[in-house]
Amino acid sequence: MHEMGIVIKVVKTVEDFARNNGVTRIDTLVLQIGALSPVIPRYVESCYPMVVKNTRLEDTRLQIDVLPAMARCRACREVFDVLEHKSSCPVCHSGNPEMISGNEFMIKEIVAF
Amino acid sequence: MDTYKIIEIKESVFEDNNQRAELLRSELKKERTFLLNLMSSPGSGKTTTLVRTIYALKDEMAIGIMEADIDSDVDARTISKTGAKVIQLHTGGMCHLDAEMTRQGLEGLGTQGIDLAILENVGNLVCPAEFDTGASKNAMILSVPEGDDKPLKYPLMFSIVDVVLVNKIDAMEFFDFNLDVLKERVSKLNPGIKVIPISAKTGEGIDQWADWLRGEVKMWNNNSDCRSL
Ligand SMILES: Nc1nc2c(ncn2[C@@H]2O[C@H](COP(=O)(O)OP(=O)(O)OP(=O)(O)O)[C@@H](O)[C@H]2O)c(=O)[nH]1
Ligand SMILES: [Mg+2]
Ligand SMILES: [Zn+2]
């Protein structure tokens, strides 16, 4: 499980951001995680409270938006959800589509006072 | 009354690592040190293969090894018997190395005069595939007892490496491992990838592996302006 190290990094990044932008209280931290990302939302949530202890984010709520894994068919250009269609194009059934999204792991925004 | 503000950060968490990795790669290029990132499941034969590799190449180039392990130094001791420069990196629970940890390791090892540095990554087929270490090339070992279906289970690892070593081929007769099926599965994920069957135990195939590595190191350390990525 690598979420711990990753969450530590996220919290540091947000703290730096808050410091540099004069933000004192952060109400909510919003992360975007792709459905194919190696980062598992459930694990992020479970180690988050431990990581934020004694940081500026101690009382900050965590919100995770999961982004769908979308791909474009190389044959007919159809865009589809690969998890829903098991990687084969729902229109022409070719495999090996070009991935468009699903791998991201982003700090989207913070809701601050 | 509280006034809420939404502040967009839009920062990709892995982006930072990718940039550090690129930077490290270009520095290594300037220093003429080729860095190989070697990955595999635990016990597939990384250390044994490294020992063979060192003996095959040590008369032609200066080699330095970084052994990443959660907590032990068994592998570093094994390697040190070959006479190669070696350093043990303790990852303390991290399941992979990122570019920053790799840089620290290289600083500890000292890259000056080193032609070939090899990182034995943490034994794991998932997380190391996600993090660019800044290596010039990536290699993985799949050992015969693990089965030829691993590319189906860990597609990312097989798609980011430049070469797959199929180790323990001396034990082929005891397992249902089909090399042709494996090659087909691997090249579906990663066309143009090199697959080299070896036995770190008997030494079979090590010549071919050493040839590949020698060629890559030469290319990396010679032409100073063109990156062989
Ligand atoms: N039969 C056979 N055994 C091998 C071969 N290569 C390695 N082994 C054995 O496999 C076991 C693990 O080898 P290591 O080289 O320690 O593997 P590793 O990948 O470095 O292991 P970790 O660092 O613990 O992840 C040892 O008992 C080796 O002797 C091989 O080619 N054939
Ligand atoms: Mg080892
Ligand atoms: Zn299609």
Side-chain angles (χ1 to χ4, degrees):
Chain A
M1 189 179 106
H2 52 206
E3 277 74 11
M4 184 73 132
I6 292 167
V7 175
I8 291 174
K9 218 174 133 174
V10 167
V11 169
K12 282 211 180 101
T13 307
V14 175
E15 279 197 298
D16 286 347
F17 180 90
R19 198 172 306 117
N20 296 335
N21 293 275
V23 175
T24 45
R25 272 186 60 203
I26 307 168
D27 180 74
T28 309
L29 163 63
V30 186
L31 302 180
Q32 283 180 320
I33 303 182
L36 293 178
S37 166
V39 184
I40 313 294
R42 192 157 49 85
Y43 294 157
V44 171
E45 278 160 2
S46 71
C47 63
Y48 178 79
M50 211 149 67
V51 174
V52 294
K53 257 216 179 90
N54 302 319
T55 73
R56 218 180 258 253
L57 277 71
E58 175 133 25
D59 299 316
T60 302
R61 260 179 305 174
L62 174 67
Q63 180 190 323
I64 296 177
D65 297 345
V66 175
L67 304 177
M70 304 300 286
R72 183 181 291 116
C73 174
R74 289 179 209 271
C76 76
R77 317 304 292 162
E78 172 79 4
V79 173
F80 59 97
D81 185 320
V82 284
L83 291 180
E84 217 167 282
H85 296 99
K86 302 213 157 116
S87 298
S88 71
C89 174
V91 177
C92 76
H93 308 291
S94 1
N96 186 28
E98 181 191 339
M99 291 305 304
I100 304 173
S101 70
N103 241 321
E104 38 294 269
F105 180 52
M106 298 264 295
I107 302 171
K108 180 171 180 256
E109 63 200 17
I110 51 177
V111 181
F113 293 104
Chain B
M1 211 184 83
D2 285 329
T3 45
Y4 279 76
K5 269 201 297 216
I6 292 179
I7 308 173
E8 291 223 332
I9 301 185
K10 283 242 177 281
E11 181 168 323
S12 170
V13 178
F14 298 139
E15 205 55 51
D16 191 39
N17 185 61
N18 291 344
Q19 285 163 5
R20 280 168 205 251
E22 281 305 328
L23 181 68
L24 180 59
R25 197 158 23 243
S26 61
E27 288 168 2
L28 288 170
K29 178 85 191 160
K30 268 188 228 133
E31 268 184 50
R32 294 168 188 259
T33 299
F34 178 94
L35 174 63
L36 179 80
N37 174 23
L38 180 61
M39 298 169 284
S40 82
S41 314
S44 64
K46 295 182 290 299
T47 308
T48 315
T49 302
L50 282 182
V51 170
R52 285 275 180 190
T53 309
I54 294 166
Y55 284 123
L57 295 172
K58 73 176 191 171
D59 294 336
E60 314 162 33
M61 53 182 88
I63 305 175
I65 308 286
M66 296 183 285
E67 286 290 339
D69 236 311
I70 310 270
D71 198 27
S72 87
D73 62 353
V74 180
D75 288 349
R77 265 189 276 156
T78 307
I79 297 288
S80 70
K81 289 185 193 136
T82 65
K85 209 172 174 187
V86 59
I87 182 174
Q88 179 74 53
L89 311 177
H90 284 158
T91 57
M94 278 297 258
C95 47
H96 62 273
L97 288 177
D98 62 18
E100 188 53 36
M101 294 187 266
T102 305
R103 171 190 296 280
Q104 287 168 11
L106 286 165
E107 276 165 12
L109 182 70
T111 46
Q112 215 184 7
I114 296 284
D115 305 301
L116 167 63
I118 305 179
L119 169 65
E120 179 175 334
N121 212 315
V122 183
N124 176 340
L125 289 181
V126 183
C127 315
E130 300 296 337
F131 293 85
D132 190 344
T133 56
S136 319
K137 291 282 167 178
N138 294 295
M140 73 168 291
I141 298 179
L142 172 69
S143 63
V144 167
E146 293 171 74
D148 54 26
D149 59 352
K150 282 291 176 291
L152 306 177
K153 297 182 182 169
Y154 304 97
L156 185 67
M157 177 59 82
F158 286 87
S159 52
I160 62 130
V161 293
D162 301 289
V163 56
V164 178
L165 298 178
V166 179
N167 189 32
K168 308 194 186 180
I169 53 167
D170 56 280
M172 200 69 110
E173 59 178 308
F174 305 112
F175 298 93
D176 298 326
F177 190 102
N178 189 324
L179 196 57
D180 293 328
V181 168
L182 175 87
K183 282 182 180 165
E184 198 186 302
R185 286 176 175 158
V186 171
S187 55
K188 226 181 232 162
L189 291 165
N190 190 342
I193 191 175
K194 191 137 181 93
V195 177
I196 307 177
I198 63 165
S199 166
K201 185 178 175 182
T202 66
E204 196 182 342
I206 295 292
D207 281 351
Q208 206 197 336
W209 159 237
D211 282 346
W212 181 85
L213 196 52
R214 184 186 293 114
E216 294 295 329
V217 172
K218 275 205 183 122
M219 240 194 298
W220 182 261
N221 297 351
N222 282 350
N223 49 7
S224 46
D225 47 13
C226 133
R227 262 220 338 246
S228 63
L229 266 181

PDB file of all heavy atoms in Angstrom, chain B residues 12-23 25 99 130-132:
ATOM      1  N   SER B  12      -1.354  18.007 -10.543  1.00  0.00           N
ATOM      2  CA  SER B  12      -1.260  16.568 -10.618  1.00  0.00           C
ATOM      3  C   SER B  12      -0.176  16.118  -9.646  1.00  0.00           C
ATOM      4  O   SER B  12       0.918  16.636  -9.647  1.00  0.00           O
ATOM      5  CB  SER B  12      -0.909  16.153 -12.034  1.00  0.00           C
ATOM      6  OG  SER B  12      -0.593  14.789 -12.036  1.00  0.00           O
ATOM      7  N   VAL B  13      -0.536  15.170  -8.801  1.00  0.00           N
ATOM      8  CA  VAL B  13       0.398  14.770  -7.751  1.00  0.00           C
ATOM      9  C   VAL B  13       1.606  14.038  -8.316  1.00  0.00           C
ATOM     10  O   VAL B  13       2.705  14.139  -7.809  1.00  0.00           O
ATOM     11  CB  VAL B  13      -0.316  13.900  -6.703  1.00  0.00           C
ATOM     12  CG1 VAL B  13       0.642  13.437  -5.630  1.00  0.00           C
ATOM     13  CG2 VAL B  13      -1.454  14.689  -6.084  1.00  0.00           C
ATOM     14  N   PHE B  14       1.409  13.325  -9.403  1.00  0.00           N
ATOM     15  CA  PHE B  14       2.534  12.594  -9.981  1.00  0.00           C
ATOM     16  C   PHE B  14       3.371  13.469 -10.904  1.00  0.00           C
ATOM     17  O   PHE B  14       4.475  13.118 -11.277  1.00  0.00           O
ATOM     18  CB  PHE B  14       2.055  11.357 -10.739  1.00  0.00           C
ATOM     19  CG  PHE B  14       1.358  10.380  -9.836  1.00  0.00           C
ATOM     20  CD1 PHE B  14       0.224   9.719 -10.248  1.00  0.00           C
ATOM     21  CD2 PHE B  14       1.851  10.134  -8.568  1.00  0.00           C
ATOM     22  CE1 PHE B  14      -0.412   8.826  -9.397  1.00  0.00           C
ATOM     23  CE2 PHE B  14       1.227   9.239  -7.710  1.00  0.00           C
ATOM     24  CZ  PHE B  14       0.086   8.588  -8.132  1.00  0.00           C
ATOM     25  N   GLU B  15       2.820  14.594 -11.305  1.00  0.00           N
ATOM     26  CA  GLU B  15       3.511  15.492 -12.225  1.00  0.00           C
ATOM     27  C   GLU B  15       4.873  15.884 -11.685  1.00  0.00           C
ATOM     28  O   GLU B  15       5.885  15.877 -12.359  1.00  0.00           O
ATOM     29  CB  GLU B  15       2.670  16.758 -12.416  1.00  0.00           C
ATOM     30  CG  GLU B  15       2.910  17.471 -13.712  1.00  0.00           C
ATOM     31  CD  GLU B  15       2.721  16.543 -14.892  1.00  0.00           C
ATOM     32  OE1 GLU B  15       1.693  15.849 -15.003  1.00  0.00           O
ATOM     33  OE2 GLU B  15       3.656  16.499 -15.696  1.00  0.00           O
ATOM     34  N   ASP B  16       4.851  16.212 -10.413  1.00  0.00           N
ATOM     35  CA  ASP B  16       6.042  16.623  -9.720  1.00  0.00           C
ATOM     36  C   ASP B  16       7.131  15.557  -9.833  1.00  0.00           C
ATOM     37  O   ASP B  16       8.280  15.842 -10.139  1.00  0.00           O
ATOM     38  CB  ASP B  16       5.626  16.822  -8.257  1.00  0.00           C
ATOM     39  CG  ASP B  16       6.701  17.495  -7.470  1.00  0.00           C
ATOM     40  OD1 ASP B  16       7.327  18.395  -8.030  1.00  0.00           O
ATOM     41  OD2 ASP B  16       6.901  17.103  -6.304  1.00  0.00           O
ATOM     42  N   ASN B  17       6.743  14.317  -9.615  1.00  0.00           N
ATOM     43  CA  ASN B  17       7.720  13.233  -9.715  1.00  0.00           C
ATOM     44  C   ASN B  17       8.228  13.096 -11.143  1.00  0.00           C
ATOM     45  O   ASN B  17       9.417  12.860 -11.360  1.00  0.00           O
ATOM     46  CB  ASN B  17       7.109  11.911  -9.242  1.00  0.00           C
ATOM     47  CG  ASN B  17       8.150  10.795  -9.227  1.00  0.00           C
ATOM     48  OD1 ASN B  17       9.146  10.873  -8.518  1.00  0.00           O
ATOM     49  ND2 ASN B  17       7.955   9.795 -10.068  1.00  0.00           N
ATOM     50  N   ASN B  18       7.324  13.254 -12.107  1.00  0.00           N
ATOM     51  CA  ASN B  18       7.749  13.136 -13.504  1.00  0.00           C
ATOM     52  C   ASN B  18       8.792  14.188 -13.848  1.00  0.00           C
ATOM     53  O   ASN B  18       9.754  13.907 -14.550  1.00  0.00           O
ATOM     54  CB  ASN B  18       6.548  13.264 -14.445  1.00  0.00           C
ATOM     55  CG  ASN B  18       5.627  12.068 -14.321  1.00  0.00           C
ATOM     56  OD1 ASN B  18       6.017  11.035 -13.775  1.00  0.00           O
ATOM     57  ND2 ASN B  18       4.411  12.201 -14.804  1.00  0.00           N
ATOM     58  N   GLN B  19       8.585  15.402 -13.331  1.00  0.00           N
ATOM     59  CA  GLN B  19       9.557  16.463 -13.614  1.00  0.00           C
ATOM     60  C   GLN B  19      10.903  16.181 -12.967  1.00  0.00           C
ATOM     61  O   GLN B  19      11.944  16.338 -13.586  1.00  0.00           O
ATOM     62  CB  GLN B  19       9.024  17.809 -13.121  1.00  0.00           C
ATOM     63  CG  GLN B  19       7.948  18.356 -14.027  1.00  0.00           C
ATOM     64  CD  GLN B  19       7.137  19.444 -13.365  1.00  0.00           C
ATOM     65  OE1 GLN B  19       7.432  19.857 -12.237  1.00  0.00           O
ATOM     66  NE2 GLN B  19       6.109  19.899 -14.056  1.00  0.00           N
ATOM     67  N   ARG B  20      10.857  15.723 -11.719  1.00  0.00           N
ATOM     68  CA  ARG B  20      12.110  15.386 -11.049  1.00  0.00           C
ATOM     69  C   ARG B  20      12.840  14.268 -11.774  1.00  0.00           C
ATOM     70  O   ARG B  20      14.061  14.270 -11.878  1.00  0.00           O
ATOM     71  CB  ARG B  20      11.840  14.902  -9.622  1.00  0.00           C
ATOM     72  CG  ARG B  20      11.602  16.018  -8.655  1.00  0.00           C
ATOM     73  CD  ARG B  20      11.052  15.413  -7.383  1.00  0.00           C
ATOM     74  NE  ARG B  20      10.287  16.405  -6.668  1.00  0.00           N
ATOM     75  CZ  ARG B  20      10.688  16.971  -5.530  1.00  0.00           C
ATOM     76  NH1 ARG B  20      11.821  16.623  -4.999  1.00  0.00           N
ATOM     77  NH2 ARG B  20       9.948  17.867  -4.946  1.00  0.00           N
ATOM     78  N   ALA B  21      12.066  13.304 -12.259  1.00  0.00           N
ATOM     79  CA  ALA B  21      12.658  12.171 -12.958  1.00  0.00           C
ATOM     80  C   ALA B  21      13.343  12.641 -14.248  1.00  0.00           C
ATOM     81  O   ALA B  21      14.454  12.224 -14.555  1.00  0.00           O
ATOM     82  CB  ALA B  21      11.590  11.126 -13.268  1.00  0.00           C
ATOM     83  N   GLU B  22      12.667  13.529 -14.965  1.00  0.00           N
ATOM     84  CA  GLU B  22      13.255  14.066 -16.207  1.00  0.00           C
ATOM     85  C   GLU B  22      14.558  14.793 -15.918  1.00  0.00           C
ATOM     86  O   GLU B  22      15.539  14.665 -16.644  1.00  0.00           O
ATOM     87  CB  GLU B  22      12.281  15.036 -16.892  1.00  0.00           C
ATOM     88  CG  GLU B  22      11.174  14.370 -17.668  1.00  0.00           C
ATOM     89  CD  GLU B  22      11.677  13.374 -18.712  1.00  0.00           C
ATOM     90  OE1 GLU B  22      12.773  13.591 -19.272  1.00  0.00           O
ATOM     91  OE2 GLU B  22      11.002  12.368 -18.938  1.00  0.00           O
ATOM     92  N   LEU B  23      14.532  15.562 -14.852  1.00  0.00           N
ATOM     93  CA  LEU B  23      15.715  16.335 -14.471  1.00  0.00           C
ATOM     94  C   LEU B  23      16.871  15.399 -14.126  1.00  0.00           C
ATOM     95  O   LEU B  23      18.002  15.561 -14.609  1.00  0.00           O
ATOM     96  CB  LEU B  23      15.378  17.226 -13.276  1.00  0.00           C
ATOM     97  CG  LEU B  23      16.514  18.116 -12.780  1.00  0.00           C
ATOM     98  CD1 LEU B  23      16.820  19.184 -13.827  1.00  0.00           C
ATOM     99  CD2 LEU B  23      16.131  18.783 -11.453  1.00  0.00           C
ATOM    100  N   ARG B  25      17.274  12.368 -15.065  1.00  0.00           N
ATOM    101  CA  ARG B  25      17.710  11.668 -16.270  1.00  0.00           C
ATOM    102  C   ARG B  25      18.676  12.539 -17.074  1.00  0.00           C
ATOM    103  O   ARG B  25      19.703  12.080 -17.553  1.00  0.00           O
ATOM    104  CB  ARG B  25      16.487  11.282 -17.105  1.00  0.00           C
ATOM    105  CG  ARG B  25      16.771  10.237 -18.135  1.00  0.00           C
ATOM    106  CD  ARG B  25      15.569   9.438 -18.619  1.00  0.00           C
ATOM    107  NE  ARG B  25      14.291  10.087 -18.453  1.00  0.00           N
ATOM    108  CZ  ARG B  25      13.329   9.602 -17.682  1.00  0.00           C
ATOM    109  NH1 ARG B  25      13.480   8.474 -17.045  1.00  0.00           N
ATOM    110  NH2 ARG B  25      12.183  10.242 -17.553  1.00  0.00           N
ATOM    111  N   ALA B  99      11.601   9.398  -7.873  1.00  0.00           N
ATOM    112  CA  ALA B  99      12.802  10.042  -8.410  1.00  0.00           C
ATOM    113  C   ALA B  99      13.644  10.689  -7.313  1.00  0.00           C
ATOM    114  O   ALA B  99      14.875  10.673  -7.375  1.00  0.00           O
ATOM    115  CB  ALA B  99      12.401  11.082  -9.457  1.00  0.00           C
ATOM    116  N   GLU B 130       4.423   2.676 -11.384  1.00  0.00           N
ATOM    117  CA  GLU B 130       3.746   3.965 -11.420  1.00  0.00           C
ATOM    118  C   GLU B 130       4.685   5.150 -11.296  1.00  0.00           C
ATOM    119  O   GLU B 130       4.309   6.277 -11.559  1.00  0.00           O
ATOM    120  CB  GLU B 130       2.769   4.068 -10.239  1.00  0.00           C
ATOM    121  CG  GLU B 130       1.684   3.022 -10.221  1.00  0.00           C
ATOM    122  CD  GLU B 130       0.773   3.152 -11.413  1.00  0.00           C
ATOM    123  OE1 GLU B 130       0.704   4.252 -11.980  1.00  0.00           O
ATOM    124  OE2 GLU B 130       0.157   2.156 -11.783  1.00  0.00           O
ATOM    125  N   PHE B 131       5.886   4.894 -10.823  1.00  0.00           N
ATOM    126  CA  PHE B 131       6.756   6.014 -10.500  1.00  0.00           C
ATOM    127  C   PHE B 131       8.037   5.998 -11.325  1.00  0.00           C
ATOM    128  O   PHE B 131       8.847   5.092 -11.199  1.00  0.00           O
ATOM    129  CB  PHE B 131       7.091   5.997  -9.004  1.00  0.00           C
ATOM    130  CG  PHE B 131       5.888   6.275  -8.157  1.00  0.00           C
ATOM    131  CD1 PHE B 131       5.020   5.258  -7.808  1.00  0.00           C
ATOM    132  CD2 PHE B 131       5.590   7.569  -7.767  1.00  0.00           C
ATOM    133  CE1 PHE B 131       3.881   5.506  -7.064  1.00  0.00           C
ATOM    134  CE2 PHE B 131       4.455   7.839  -7.015  1.00  0.00           C
ATOM    135  CZ  PHE B 131       3.601   6.808  -6.668  1.00  0.00           C
ATOM    136  N   ASP B 132       8.187   7.003 -12.154  1.00  0.00           N
ATOM    137  CA  ASP B 132       9.402   7.163 -12.932  1.00  0.00           C
ATOM    138  C   ASP B 132      10.543   7.482 -11.960  1.00  0.00           C
ATOM    139  O   ASP B 132      10.449   8.420 -11.180  1.00  0.00           O
ATOM    140  CB  ASP B 132       9.190   8.324 -13.918  1.00  0.00           C
ATOM    141  CG  ASP B 132      10.310   8.419 -14.941  1.00  0.00           C
ATOM    142  OD1 ASP B 132      11.375   7.824 -14.731  1.00  0.00           O
ATOM    143  OD2 ASP B 132      10.102   9.112 -15.951  1.00  0.00           O
TER     144      ASP B 132
END
